[in-house]
Amino acid sequence: FGSYSYMSGCQLLQFVLCFATATAINDYVGDNKTFWQSTSTFTRQHLSTSSQYGAISYANALKMELTVVWNGRSATNNDDEQYYNSFFEIIGPSDVDTSHDDHNKHASTYYPSLYLQPTRDAFHVCIFNQHYNLNHPTLIIGHSYAFVIEFNASTLALSIDDEQVIEIDCSALLSDEHTDDQASIYWFRSESSRPYVIAGDANISDIRIVSHVKDASDSLSSSDDEYTFGWVIYSLFALPALCLFAFCCYKSRQIRQQMEKTIIEQ
């Protein structure tokens, strides 16, 4: 009986913690300023009433990492029309919609946004209000694509699966007027005011965003310290649950030992 009490206490809490972790969808931690990190996979099927999840401040340097598993092109009611599929958009008050041609009728964003091209199974990236149709890779359903998007005061770089896709001088694209503006983070955004953009279909995970002010002389790779800080923040959220689990195991063991001692004495 004592052994049963010990096991049930630990196993119950362990089950609750594992169940909460395994079933969490579209969860994140962040400070709405310099740091944002997912704590679960993001999917369009589990969106809240709004597709916005937190925010981050504009600065002259950013590093964003994420892994995208593409599930295929989103279905529409009209097979004759082509639509951008939105995966994520980071949009602030100074970002506007553009309509200068049929292939760029979607949100221009100072910070990165990612779409599926309307006529090709390939990614489309918008950053610094510039649009980039990526010719490589051609997307395969169920395949994962690891993104790293980063820029500082002089260079913008984007890689997919460790292969450099974009690397340009962005010094002329940066603008101080954006600094400290708050940018909202949207996943699988679809709005009636933008009929040419619909929610994409993908599982997106391992998302980390760090935004901060840097000197022009700083290299892109020098932002790793900020990621270490992000992991510290995440650990602080996980630590209380681990401590609670350890405490319950300890108390359950004490109860078992006391009950065994009582049985022996009797």
Side-chain angles (χ1 to χ4, degrees), residues 124-146:
H124 180 98
V125 175
C126 182
I127 185 169
F128 296 134
N129 295 329
Q130 306 294 310
H131 301 271
Y132 302 94
N133 278 326
L134 305 185
N135 296 321
H136 178 78
T138 299
L139 303 187
I140 301 172
I141 294 175
H143 187 76
S144 65
Y145 301 90

